[in-house]
Amino acid sequence: MNSNQQIPKIIPIVPIKNKVLLPGLVLRFQVGRKDTVQLMQKIYRATDNRESKHIVGCIPLKPPPVSENDDVAVNKSSSTLPFNPLSSNSKKVTENKNVNDSSSLSLTQPSDLHHFGCAARIVRLEKTVGGGFMAVVEGIVRIRVDSYVKLEPYLEAEITSFPEPVLPKDDQELQDLAISLKSTGRELLSMLQDLKLPTPLLTQLQKFIDGAAAGPLADLLISTLESTYEEKLHILDAVELKTRMLRAIDLLTRQIHILKISQKIHSTVEGKLSKKQREFYLRQQMAAIKDELGERDDSSTEDDDVTDLAKRLKEAGLSPEAEKAAQRELKRIKRMHPTQAEYQVVRTYLEWLSEIPWSKFTSDILDIEKARQQLDDDHYGLQTVKKRVLEYLAVLKLKEDMKGPILCLLGPPGVGKTSLGKSIANALGRKFHRISLGGVRDEAEIRGHRRTYIGAMPGLIAQALRRVAVSNPVILLDEIDKVGHLSNHGDPSAALLEVLDPEQNNSFNDHYLNVPLDLSKVLFIATANNVDSITAPLLDRMELISLPGYTFDEKINIAQRHLLPKQIASHGLGPGHVKISDEIMLKIASGYTREAGVRSLEREIAGVCRSKAVEYADAKDKSNVEKYNGEIELGDLERILGVEKYEDEVAERASKPGVVTGLAWTSSGSGGILFIEATQMAGKGNLQLTGKLGEVIKESAQIALSWVRTHAYHLGITTTSTESLYFSERDIHIHFPAGAINKDGPSAGVALATALVSLFTHKRVQPTTAMTGEITLRGQVLSVGGIKEKVIAAHRAGIKRVILPVGNRKDVQGDVPERIRKDIEFVYAKNVFEVLSSAFEGQQVWIGPIVEMESR
């Protein structure tokens, strides 16, 4: 290529972006801009093959403006290597496949272009998909644009070319600059050899440095440097050889310094580098670069992190044992390098120690009257629980220091156990945290993991204290009856023994923290639906407080005071937009729900509120709000909630021999009605029991049948006391409806005996009479549990008379609400005879004196 080739005075202009073409170098770029595409199409058509000799002017676009506060932008399109490969024909090539002058399809304006450029010969021209071109051009000589003579369909400009000057031999200053340029180039080449680049490539570059003239050498070296777009434009503008060499030496010297710093950083960090430490390597490089620039941010160093951690531990008010452990681990972490695997383990442990509230407390509100008012405002009824909380508060006020009791709220779902825990916390002025124990099957979830395990964490108790940030919160252990028992992962219920023991929990040991943790100031409140699934040792550590189901009166009060206002607000309505009278509320509670709690009742109230929200929104849309009526009438319920889901259960039952109503206590903690149906048929004296019964209730049926067979003559079933064929020729079938529901327990004994006597004597028991109690083979009636829940369920079902064991009289007087006691007639029985006499309402059920029966 001849750099002195004759260049026309007027040539077409090709704008190029983000790249500078210098004389003697080759550039490849895509053409997609509208005006440039038209130029290339003309050249392509005028060329027989893909090689062309056409001359064009490659003018770079002006760089974007930079604000005063911005640093000089780094040309991100530059190669990461400090030079580009040489072509096979020894021509100096600079190539960037991402160079594209088609950033916009609009026509290029002369004001967007730089004043200087490079005249170039089109070496190769190929069409690309989409109508563009791929062009390869070779720089010939520097040019300056004097004026643009043509703007459409492509740019043409009148130019002045600047052939490469010859270095004069008599100019010592220029000769010295040329020597310095070559020397700096060789030093750069020596540094590049440490990067282990391909040897033939370095050899070609070495030969070019030795034999090239000063001007072309400066152009080549600058094109290989990691320099900015603006810096390359300055080299393009340097028509004078002296200016160009000075600028080239400057940039080469800077590149050598950068490589030296990079080598220094590499040698410093290399010994500490491993496969898993890439992130640390990059951070070390950043820190070393900041050191060289004098911009080191000391606040981000690991030493400062440890110092900050030590400060936080000092402010945490650690216990003596925790302080000793913290100081020991601090000494360890100061000797560790941050890349060690143990470093993060120790650091996380110290962070946990610093965040546990060792000596932070909230002040209790020791105002008995205010606490009583808080509990009454939040909950209707539940006098037993409120009384116990006020007792705790009174003792705390007098003693000023008291170990936290462990209260267990036992009751069916929906009676307000969890919300009561929140109310207790509010009444005491303490922070509240809830821990759900349902499904917890790993002991480590309570006690924490050993720190030797990957991903180890403290247990739920320590995590709760960290979240509330005080040492005396109210912690609710929800669903404690559903915690898992002994498994391959330990026994979580056993792990709770230390937590819930007031004599031991002042030094609770979490496996992760491994220092005593004082839980004696924590007020623990547990909730459970069924006491049977709680292990005996765990149950022994808690004070049981029973929350039975609500009566209809209590449900109405709860609905009017809490549920209805809550649902009105949550549905975007205001006070007075929904009005439900007590009569309508009772109808909703009795006809559309059948539960011990109030969750279903709240859902039905929400359904009423949604219906009224539709009516109110329609009225607003029609600007007819004054005609909106928020009152709910009795006739509206079926339209809003549908047909009644429940009727009085006993009203559906006809009085027939062999049918008796019993009372049951369900596993969810609520009471319920238990219907018993008995029938007989010809057979061989077999007893068949159906209804998904447990072993205890099956035994009660066997006991009842044995007692009836023993007293068959006195009951009038057989004609003689020695007759045995009566039962041997009959099969008896006893069924408990709702066959899909599990039933068990001894409470159905008296009901089973009454059903069998009713079946064999053809006497009827009124469906409004219900009974419960356990019987023995001697005919005695033993007391049972769950009386309050059973009586409330009987009242809810429309029962008018309840037969109970005489031993349960105290439960009725102490637990059953007075309103229910007034609505139900209670009969207390010592033996089966008294049960039968009451069940058959005075009908004769016995032949002979009662003493004879009792003697048996």
Side-chain angles (χ1 to χ4, degrees):
M1 186 270 301
N2 185 7
S3 61
N4 295 320
Q5 178 180 346
Q6 186 66 32
I7 304 299
K9 188 64 175 175
I10 296 177
I11 60 175
I13 299 299
V14 175
I16 58 176
K17 182 181 179 182
N18 296 331
K19 199 66 179 177
V20 177
L21 177 64
L22 295 174
L25 304 178
V26 175
L27 175 67
R28 186 174 69 175
F29 57 89
Q30 291 181 347
V31 176
R33 197 182 295 267
K34 182 179 178 180
D35 48 1
T36 314
V37 166
Q38 294 189 50
L39 171 62
M40 295 301 172
Q41 285 176 342
K42 178 180 178 182
I43 296 174
Y44 190 83
R45 286 193 298 266
T47 306
D48 294 336
N49 51 41
R50 293 186 178 182
E51 293 196 9
S52 167
K53 304 297 182 180
H54 289 80
I55 304 298
V56 295
C58 293
I59 308 296
L61 293 173
K62 289 181 179 178
V66 180
S67 63
E68 294 180 359
N69 296 328
D70 288 342
D71 293 333
V72 177
V74 177
N75 186 0
K76 296 182 180 179
S77 65
S78 300
S79 171
T80 54
L81 294 177
F83 63 93
N84 290 317
L86 296 179
S87 64
S88 58
N89 58 0
S90 299
K91 287 183 166 53
K92 288 73 71 181
V93 180
T94 174
E95 179 179 348
N96 187 344
K97 296 183 180 181
N98 294 325
V99 173
N100 192 343
D101 71 336
S102 59
S103 61
S104 172
L105 295 180
S106 59
L107 298 177
T108 306
Q109 299 299 319
S111 58
D112 296 333
L113 297 175
H114 194 59
H115 294 302
F116 283 87
C118 183
R121 179 175 61 86
I122 296 180
V123 177
R124 193 171 185 83
L125 190 61
E126 295 178 354
K127 282 189 175 182
T128 61
V129 178
F133 288 88
M134 176 64 71
V136 178
V137 297
E138 180 184 11
I140 301 174
V141 67
R142 282 177 172 78
I143 60 173
R144 182 186 65 214
V145 177
D146 296 329
S147 63
Y148 286 91
V149 297
K150 183 178 179 182
L151 300 179
E152 292 183 2
Y154 50 83
L155 295 175
E156 285 189 358
E158 183 178 346
I159 63 160
T160 299
S161 59
F162 298 92
E164 188 62 42
V166 178
L167 182 66
K169 295 183 180 180
D170 55 350
D171 192 331
Q172 189 60 42
E173 182 181 3
L174 289 181
Q175 291 290 342
D176 291 343
L177 282 176
I179 294 172
S180 177
L181 177 63
K182 291 188 177 184
S183 175
T184 308
R186 291 190 184 97
E187 184 178 358
L188 176 62
L189 184 61
S190 175
M191 304 263 324
L192 294 178
Q193 288 175 345
D194 295 336
L195 297 178
K196 299 180 180 180
L197 294 175
T199 303
L201 189 63
L202 295 177
T203 302
Q204 291 183 27
L205 189 59
Q206 179 68 54
K207 290 179 179 179
F208 187 81
I209 292 176
D210 293 337
L217 177 60
D219 289 341
L220 172 64
L221 293 176
I222 294 305
S223 69
T224 64
L225 288 179
E226 204 169 316
S227 54
T228 66
Y229 185 58
E230 288 81 357
E231 289 168 341
K232 290 184 178 180
L233 287 178
H234 290 159
I235 294 296
L236 178 66
D237 297 346
V239 176
E240 294 184 0
L241 187 57
K242 178 180 178 181
T243 303
R244 195 188 317 167
M245 286 193 293
L246 285 172
R247 290 178 181 177
I249 292 170
D250 252 356
L251 294 176
L252 287 170
T253 304
R254 186 191 69 181
Q255 185 67 34
I256 290 171
H257 282 306
I258 291 174
L259 288 173
K260 286 181 178 179
I261 293 171
S262 178
Q263 286 180 342
K264 179 181 178 182
I265 294 170
H266 182 75
S267 61
T268 302
V269 179
E270 187 179 20
K272 306 170 185 176
L273 185 65
S274 68
K275 292 181 180 179
K276 296 183 179 179
Q277 296 169 339
R278 187 172 184 273
E279 182 178 354
F280 170 71
Y281 171 74
L282 295 175
R283 292 185 185 278
Q284 287 294 99
Q285 277 193 321
M286 185 181 297
I289 290 170
K290 287 184 177 181
D291 276 342
E292 292 293 334
L293 296 176
E295 298 177 359
R296 181 63 180 245
D297 185 5
D298 292 332
S299 63
S300 65
T301 63
E302 295 295 339
D303 289 342
D304 283 345
D305 284 346
V306 174
T307 302
D308 179 64
L309 200 52
K311 180 181 178 183
R312 287 161 55 190
L313 287 167
K314 185 177 181 180
E315 296 172 351
L318 304 178
S319 65
E321 296 87 350
E323 178 69 26
K324 183 178 180 181
Q327 293 303 321
R328 181 177 65 249
E329 296 300 325
L330 272 175
K331 290 179 181 178
R332 287 185 61 204
I333 198 172
K334 288 178 181 178
R335 294 194 299 266
M336 292 181 186
H337 197 276
T339 58
Q340 290 181 247
E342 187 71 11
Y343 181 88
Q344 287 301 328
V345 174
V346 176
R347 178 174 175 172
T348 304
Y349 173 73
L350 291 173
E351 287 177 348
W352 269 100
L353 285 181
S354 68
E355 292 171 3
I356 294 292
W358 301 96
S359 56
K360 297 178 182 177
F361 304 92
T362 54
S363 300
D364 288 328
I365 301 175
L366 303 178
D367 189 331
I368 307 298
E369 186 58 36
K370 185 176 180 181
R372 180 184 289 112
Q373 186 63 42
Q374 174 79 44
L375 293 172
D376 288 340
D377 289 344
D378 291 346
H379 292 273
Y380 181 83
L382 305 178
Q383 298 305 322
T384 304
V385 188
K386 295 177 182 177
K387 175 174 173 289
R388 181 63 186 87
V389 174
L390 293 176
E391 289 171 354
Y392 168 76
L393 193 58
V395 175
L396 183 64
K397 183 175 182 178
L398 296 175
K399 192 179 178 183
E400 296 183 356
D401 183 22
M402 180 183 175
K403 291 182 179 180
I406 314 299
L407 304 178
C408 181
L409 305 179
L410 180 67
V415 295
K417 299 185 294 297
T418 302
S419 60
L420 185 62
K422 295 179 182 178
S423 296
I424 292 173
N426 293 334
L428 295 174
R430 294 189 179 187
K431 292 188 176 182
F432 176 82
H433 183 79
R434 171 182 168 271
I435 297 176
S436 178
L437 296 177
V440 172
R441 301 186 181 279
D442 191 344
E443 179 187 358
E445 292 190 51
I446 306 297
R447 281 195 175 275
H449 303 80
R450 303 282 183 185
R451 279 195 289 151
T452 53
Y453 293 102
I454 296 175
M457 288 186 65
L460 292 172
I461 305 299
Q463 292 181 38
L465 292 179
R466 181 193 188 188
R467 287 191 178 95
V468 296
V470 292
S471 293
N472 62 336
V474 174
I475 295 182
L476 183 76
L477 303 175
D478 210 6
E479 308 289 359
I480 198 170
D481 57 326
K482 296 176 180 61
V483 68
H485 298 297
L486 184 61
S487 67
N488 295 334
H489 302 286
D491 189 352
S493 62
L496 286 170
L497 295 178
E498 186 180 0
V499 176
L500 299 182
D501 192 337
E503 299 300 325
Q504 300 180 34
N505 63 9
N506 61 341
S507 57
F508 171 70
N509 182 39
D510 183 277
H511 287 162
Y512 181 85
L513 299 177
N514 203 27
V515 292
L517 192 60
D518 187 3
L519 303 178
S520 62
K521 303 297 189 297
V522 178
L523 175 57
F524 286 103
I525 300 176
T527 69
N529 299 133
N530 184 10
V531 73
D532 295 337
S533 59
I534 304 176
T535 59
L538 186 59
L539 189 62
D540 181 63
R541 285 164 167 77
M542 298 185 293
E543 179 181 343
L544 287 179
I545 299 178
S546 179
L547 277 72
Y550 295 114
T551 65
F552 284 126
D553 284 344
E554 289 173 333
K555 286 187 176 183
I556 291 171
N557 276 281
I558 293 171
Q560 296 288 15
R561 293 173 58 177
H562 300 288
L563 305 183
L564 182 58
K566 174 185 174 183
Q567 291 301 322
I568 289 175
S570 65
H571 286 83
L573 299 170
H577 288 167
V578 181
K579 300 175 184 177
I580 304 178
S581 65
D582 289 351
E583 179 187 3
I584 303 299
M585 194 67 74
L586 176 61
K587 187 66 175 176
I588 296 174
S590 60
Y592 293 90
T593 67
R594 186 70 77 209
E595 58 173 347
V598 292
R599 283 188 182 142
S600 294
L601 178 59
E602 185 173 10
R603 284 192 286 268
E604 299 301 330
I605 293 173
V608 174
C609 291
R610 288 194 297 269
S611 176
K612 301 307 289 185
V614 173
E615 293 181 19
Y616 185 72
D618 286 344
K620 286 188 70 175
D621 291 341
K622 297 175 182 177
S623 302
N624 202 15
V625 177
E626 63 277 359
K627 292 186 179 181
Y628 169 77
N629 180 18
E631 190 76 32
I632 302 295
E633 302 292 341
L634 193 60
D636 296 334
L637 288 183
E638 186 169 336
R639 174 180 58 83
I640 296 173
L641 301 178
V643 180
E644 284 188 47
K645 300 176 183 177
Y646 306 98
E647 296 180 3
D648 287 345
E649 293 172 287
V650 297
E652 302 172 355
R653 297 273 168 173
S655 179
K656 295 180 180 180
V659 178
V660 175
T661 304
L663 296 176
W665 188 83
T666 65
S667 61
S668 64
S670 60
I673 296 297
L674 188 67
F675 293 107
I676 300 174
E677 299 175 347
T679 187
Q680 59 179 328
M681 63 209 78
K684 298 180 181 180
N686 295 325
L687 173 64
Q688 184 178 1
L689 300 171
T690 55
K692 205 170 186 180
L693 309 179
E695 291 299 322
V696 177
I697 204 167
K698 289 179 180 178
E699 291 176 357
S700 294
Q702 292 286 355
I703 293 170
L705 180 59
S706 297
W707 186 88
V708 171
R709 291 183 64 177
T710 303
H711 300 89
Y713 171 71
H714 295 90
L715 292 169
I717 298 173
T718 60
T719 57
T720 66
S721 59
T722 59
E723 185 177 348
S724 60
L725 293 177
Y726 184 86
F727 291 99
S728 63
E729 295 176 348
R730 289 172 171 80
D731 285 347
I732 301 167
H733 186 174
I734 299 176
H735 177 63
F736 291 73
I741 300 174
N742 292 326
K743 308 170 190 72
D744 201 6
S747 301
V750 296
L752 284 164
T754 304
L756 290 172
V757 173
S758 172
L759 173 67
F760 296 135
T761 62
H762 303 287
K763 292 182 174 65
R764 293 177 172 83
V765 179
Q766 290 298 321
T768 55
T769 297
M771 60 195 72
T772 185
E774 182 179 3
I775 65 169
T776 68
L777 281 174
R778 310 294 296 178
Q780 293 178 326
V781 177
L782 305 180
S783 58
V784 292
I787 293 300
K788 181 177 181 182
E789 291 83 356
K790 292 175 181 178
V791 171
I792 290 175
H795 180 264
R796 193 161 55 232
I799 298 294
K800 301 302 181 185
R801 176 190 291 177
V802 175
I803 302 173
L804 297 172
V806 69
N808 289 122
R809 185 192 300 268
K810 64 182 184 302
D811 299 311
V812 175
Q813 298 298 326
D815 297 336
V816 178
E818 183 179 356
R819 167 72 181 276
I820 294 181
R821 296 203 303 267
K822 290 180 180 180
D823 292 342
I824 295 178
E825 176 189 353
F826 292 95
V827 178
Y828 302 99
K830 293 187 295 183
N831 52 48
V832 180
F833 172 77
E834 293 179 358
V835 173
L836 297 176
S837 297
S838 178
F840 297 129
E841 298 183 5
Q843 299 181 56
Q844 184 178 357
V845 295
W846 193 259
I847 300 173
I850 301 175
V851 177
E852 182 182 354
M853 181 198 74
E854 292 176 340
S855 67
R856 289 175 177 267

